[in-house]
PDB file of all heavy atoms in Angstrom:
ATOM      1  N   GLN T  30      29.471 157.888 119.160  1.00  0.00           N
ATOM      2  CA  GLN T  30      28.938 158.818 120.123  1.00  0.00           C
ATOM      3  C   GLN T  30      28.870 158.158 121.478  1.00  0.00           C
ATOM      4  O   GLN T  30      28.118 157.140 121.660  1.00  0.00           O
ATOM      5  CB  GLN T  30      27.608 159.362 119.727  1.00  0.00           C
ATOM      6  CG  GLN T  30      27.009 160.405 120.695  1.00  0.00           C
ATOM      7  CD  GLN T  30      27.701 161.733 120.711  1.00  0.00           C
ATOM      8  OE1 GLN T  30      28.704 161.931 120.017  1.00  0.00           O
ATOM      9  NE2 GLN T  30      27.178 162.633 121.480  1.00  0.00           N
ATOM     10  N   VAL T  31      29.585 158.634 122.506  1.00  0.00           N
ATOM     11  CA  VAL T  31      29.633 158.018 123.781  1.00  0.00           C
ATOM     12  C   VAL T  31      28.348 158.426 124.569  1.00  0.00           C
ATOM     13  O   VAL T  31      28.014 159.630 124.578  1.00  0.00           O
ATOM     14  CB  VAL T  31      30.821 158.428 124.557  1.00  0.00           C
ATOM     15  CG1 VAL T  31      30.774 157.888 126.015  1.00  0.00           C
ATOM     16  CG2 VAL T  31      32.119 157.986 123.825  1.00  0.00           C
ATOM     17  N   GLN T  32      27.697 157.513 125.125  1.00  0.00           N
ATOM     18  CA  GLN T  32      26.482 157.763 125.935  1.00  0.00           C
ATOM     19  C   GLN T  32      26.523 156.993 127.210  1.00  0.00           C
ATOM     20  O   GLN T  32      26.953 155.819 127.218  1.00  0.00           O
ATOM     21  CB  GLN T  32      25.212 157.486 125.199  1.00  0.00           C
ATOM     22  CG  GLN T  32      24.937 158.408 123.962  1.00  0.00           C
ATOM     23  CD  GLN T  32      23.512 158.107 123.413  1.00  0.00           C
ATOM     24  OE1 GLN T  32      22.744 157.323 123.889  1.00  0.00           O
ATOM     25  NE2 GLN T  32      23.205 158.898 122.348  1.00  0.00           N
ATOM     26  N   LEU T  33      26.214 157.641 128.351  1.00  0.00           N
ATOM     27  CA  LEU T  33      26.142 156.987 129.634  1.00  0.00           C
ATOM     28  C   LEU T  33      24.724 157.010 130.125  1.00  0.00           C
ATOM     29  O   LEU T  33      24.085 158.033 130.167  1.00  0.00           O
ATOM     30  CB  LEU T  33      27.120 157.687 130.611  1.00  0.00           C
ATOM     31  CG  LEU T  33      28.590 157.376 130.499  1.00  0.00           C
ATOM     32  CD1 LEU T  33      29.167 158.020 129.242  1.00  0.00           C
ATOM     33  CD2 LEU T  33      29.313 157.874 131.732  1.00  0.00           C
ATOM     34  N   GLN T  34      24.252 155.801 130.477  1.00  0.00           N
ATOM     35  CA  GLN T  34      22.940 155.659 131.050  1.00  0.00           C
ATOM     36  C   GLN T  34      22.952 155.080 132.442  1.00  0.00           C
ATOM     37  O   GLN T  34      23.546 154.017 132.594  1.00  0.00           O
ATOM     38  CB  GLN T  34      21.987 154.823 130.144  1.00  0.00           C
ATOM     39  CG  GLN T  34      20.547 154.790 130.524  1.00  0.00           C
ATOM     40  CD  GLN T  34      19.734 154.106 129.488  1.00  0.00           C
ATOM     41  OE1 GLN T  34      20.147 153.822 128.373  1.00  0.00           O
ATOM     42  NE2 GLN T  34      18.528 153.745 129.818  1.00  0.00           N
ATOM     43  N   GLN T  35      22.350 155.788 133.373  1.00  0.00           N
ATOM     44  CA  GLN T  35      22.514 155.323 134.783  1.00  0.00           C
ATOM     45  C   GLN T  35      21.181 154.950 135.360  1.00  0.00           C
ATOM     46  O   GLN T  35      20.116 155.584 134.989  1.00  0.00           O
ATOM     47  CB  GLN T  35      23.302 156.367 135.663  1.00  0.00           C
ATOM     48  CG  GLN T  35      22.593 157.743 135.569  1.00  0.00           C
ATOM     49  CD  GLN T  35      23.469 158.758 136.380  1.00  0.00           C
ATOM     50  OE1 GLN T  35      24.138 159.580 135.827  1.00  0.00           O
ATOM     51  NE2 GLN T  35      23.359 158.635 137.691  1.00  0.00           N
ATOM     52  N   TRP T  36      21.208 154.191 136.392  1.00  0.00           N
ATOM     53  CA  TRP T  36      19.934 153.817 137.113  1.00  0.00           C
ATOM     54  C   TRP T  36      20.271 153.333 138.527  1.00  0.00           C
ATOM     55  O   TRP T  36      21.362 153.029 138.891  1.00  0.00           O
ATOM     56  CB  TRP T  36      19.162 152.700 136.397  1.00  0.00           C
ATOM     57  CG  TRP T  36      19.885 151.418 136.290  1.00  0.00           C
ATOM     58  CD1 TRP T  36      19.791 150.339 137.223  1.00  0.00           C
ATOM     59  CD2 TRP T  36      20.800 151.007 135.299  1.00  0.00           C
ATOM     60  NE1 TRP T  36      20.533 149.311 136.771  1.00  0.00           N
ATOM     61  CE2 TRP T  36      21.220 149.703 135.619  1.00  0.00           C
ATOM     62  CE3 TRP T  36      21.285 151.556 134.075  1.00  0.00           C
ATOM     63  CZ2 TRP T  36      22.095 148.937 134.803  1.00  0.00           C
ATOM     64  CZ3 TRP T  36      22.170 150.729 133.303  1.00  0.00           C
ATOM     65  CH2 TRP T  36      22.582 149.541 133.689  1.00  0.00           C
ATOM     66  N   GLY T  37      19.189 153.283 139.326  1.00  0.00           N
ATOM     67  CA  GLY T  37      19.323 152.884 140.731  1.00  0.00           C
ATOM     68  C   GLY T  37      18.201 153.379 141.508  1.00  0.00           C
ATOM     69  O   GLY T  37      17.369 154.157 141.078  1.00  0.00           O
ATOM     70  N   ALA T  38      18.075 152.892 142.790  1.00  0.00           N
ATOM     71  CA  ALA T  38      17.031 153.267 143.613  1.00  0.00           C
ATOM     72  C   ALA T  38      17.070 154.706 144.039  1.00  0.00           C
ATOM     73  O   ALA T  38      18.141 155.275 144.284  1.00  0.00           O
ATOM     74  CB  ALA T  38      17.112 152.375 144.917  1.00  0.00           C
ATOM     75  N   GLY T  39      15.943 155.344 144.001  1.00  0.00           N
ATOM     76  CA  GLY T  39      15.881 156.808 144.199  1.00  0.00           C
ATOM     77  C   GLY T  39      15.517 157.170 145.662  1.00  0.00           C
ATOM     78  O   GLY T  39      15.578 158.349 145.956  1.00  0.00           O
ATOM     79  N   LEU T  40      14.950 156.232 146.374  1.00  0.00           N
ATOM     80  CA  LEU T  40      14.523 156.596 147.760  1.00  0.00           C
ATOM     81  C   LEU T  40      15.069 155.473 148.721  1.00  0.00           C
ATOM     82  O   LEU T  40      14.843 154.278 148.516  1.00  0.00           O
ATOM     83  CB  LEU T  40      12.997 156.645 147.835  1.00  0.00           C
ATOM     84  CG  LEU T  40      12.379 156.896 149.195  1.00  0.00           C
ATOM     85  CD1 LEU T  40      12.864 158.298 149.686  1.00  0.00           C
ATOM     86  CD2 LEU T  40      10.909 156.862 149.174  1.00  0.00           C
ATOM     87  N   LEU T  41      15.802 155.992 149.613  1.00  0.00           N
ATOM     88  CA  LEU T  41      16.461 155.092 150.627  1.00  0.00           C
ATOM     89  C   LEU T  41      16.119 155.533 152.064  1.00  0.00           C
ATOM     90  O   LEU T  41      15.885 156.718 152.288  1.00  0.00           O
ATOM     91  CB  LEU T  41      17.999 155.090 150.435  1.00  0.00           C
ATOM     92  CG  LEU T  41      18.571 154.477 149.120  1.00  0.00           C
ATOM     93  CD1 LEU T  41      20.057 154.771 149.059  1.00  0.00           C
ATOM     94  CD2 LEU T  41      18.225 153.083 149.009  1.00  0.00           C
ATOM     95  N   LYS T  42      16.220 154.556 152.933  1.00  0.00           N
ATOM     96  CA  LYS T  42      16.096 154.963 154.354  1.00  0.00           C
ATOM     97  C   LYS T  42      17.455 155.052 154.936  1.00  0.00           C
ATOM     98  O   LYS T  42      18.432 154.534 154.474  1.00  0.00           O
ATOM     99  CB  LYS T  42      15.238 153.820 155.095  1.00  0.00           C
ATOM    100  CG  LYS T  42      13.794 153.782 154.699  1.00  0.00           C
ATOM    101  CD  LYS T  42      13.039 152.690 155.531  1.00  0.00           C
ATOM    102  CE  LYS T  42      11.581 152.855 155.411  1.00  0.00           C
ATOM    103  NZ  LYS T  42      11.047 152.922 154.013  1.00  0.00           N
ATOM    104  N   PRO T  43      17.559 155.895 156.023  1.00  0.00           N
ATOM    105  CA  PRO T  43      18.874 155.945 156.714  1.00  0.00           C
ATOM    106  C   PRO T  43      19.404 154.677 157.082  1.00  0.00           C
ATOM    107  O   PRO T  43      18.712 153.664 157.455  1.00  0.00           O
ATOM    108  CB  PRO T  43      18.540 156.844 157.936  1.00  0.00           C
ATOM    109  CG  PRO T  43      17.352 157.584 157.514  1.00  0.00           C
ATOM    110  CD  PRO T  43      16.574 156.768 156.612  1.00  0.00           C
ATOM    111  N   SER T  44      20.691 154.494 156.908  1.00  0.00           N
ATOM    112  CA  SER T  44      21.437 153.271 157.248  1.00  0.00           C
ATOM    113  C   SER T  44      21.524 152.308 156.039  1.00  0.00           C
ATOM    114  O   SER T  44      22.302 151.301 156.005  1.00  0.00           O
ATOM    115  CB  SER T  44      21.020 152.546 158.514  1.00  0.00           C
ATOM    116  OG  SER T  44      19.903 151.796 158.228  1.00  0.00           O
ATOM    117  N   GLU T  45      20.690 152.532 154.997  1.00  0.00           N
ATOM    118  CA  GLU T  45      20.626 151.649 153.825  1.00  0.00           C
ATOM    119  C   GLU T  45      21.829 151.896 152.973  1.00  0.00           C
ATOM    120  O   GLU T  45      22.605 152.758 153.091  1.00  0.00           O
ATOM    121  CB  GLU T  45      19.391 151.703 153.089  1.00  0.00           C
ATOM    122  CG  GLU T  45      18.190 151.187 153.883  1.00  0.00           C
ATOM    123  CD  GLU T  45      16.898 151.145 153.059  1.00  0.00           C
ATOM    124  OE1 GLU T  45      16.731 151.956 152.113  1.00  0.00           O
ATOM    125  OE2 GLU T  45      15.954 150.305 153.381  1.00  0.00           O
ATOM    126  N   THR T  46      21.997 151.024 151.886  1.00  0.00           N
ATOM    127  CA  THR T  46      23.134 151.170 151.048  1.00  0.00           C
ATOM    128  C   THR T  46      22.669 151.662 149.648  1.00  0.00           C
ATOM    129  O   THR T  46      21.789 151.105 149.083  1.00  0.00           O
ATOM    130  CB  THR T  46      23.913 149.826 150.804  1.00  0.00           C
ATOM    131  OG1 THR T  46      24.495 149.413 152.043  1.00  0.00           O
ATOM    132  CG2 THR T  46      25.035 149.971 149.757  1.00  0.00           C
ATOM    133  N   LEU T  47      23.244 152.766 149.221  1.00  0.00           N
ATOM    134  CA  LEU T  47      22.987 153.329 147.847  1.00  0.00           C
ATOM    135  C   LEU T  47      23.629 152.468 146.863  1.00  0.00           C
ATOM    136  O   LEU T  47      24.875 152.087 147.006  1.00  0.00           O
ATOM    137  CB  LEU T  47      23.517 154.742 147.849  1.00  0.00           C
ATOM    138  CG  LEU T  47      23.389 155.602 146.577  1.00  0.00           C
ATOM    139  CD1 LEU T  47      23.378 157.121 146.945  1.00  0.00           C
ATOM    140  CD2 LEU T  47      24.500 155.237 145.623  1.00  0.00           C
ATOM    141  N   SER T  48      22.971 152.176 145.741  1.00  0.00           N
ATOM    142  CA  SER T  48      23.491 151.383 144.739  1.00  0.00           C
ATOM    143  C   SER T  48      23.050 151.982 143.356  1.00  0.00           C
ATOM    144  O   SER T  48      21.846 151.995 143.095  1.00  0.00           O
ATOM    145  CB  SER T  48      23.002 149.922 144.823  1.00  0.00           C
ATOM    146  OG  SER T  48      23.455 149.156 143.707  1.00  0.00           O
TER     147      SER T  48
END
Side-chain angles (χ1 to χ4, degrees):
Chain T
Q30 178 73 357
V31 177
Q32 292 188 0
L33 282 70
Q34 185 173 348
Q35 56 182 104
W36 66 89
L40 181 61
L41 296 173
K42 290 182 167 52
S44 80
E45 292 185 334
T46 295
L47 178 156
S48 175

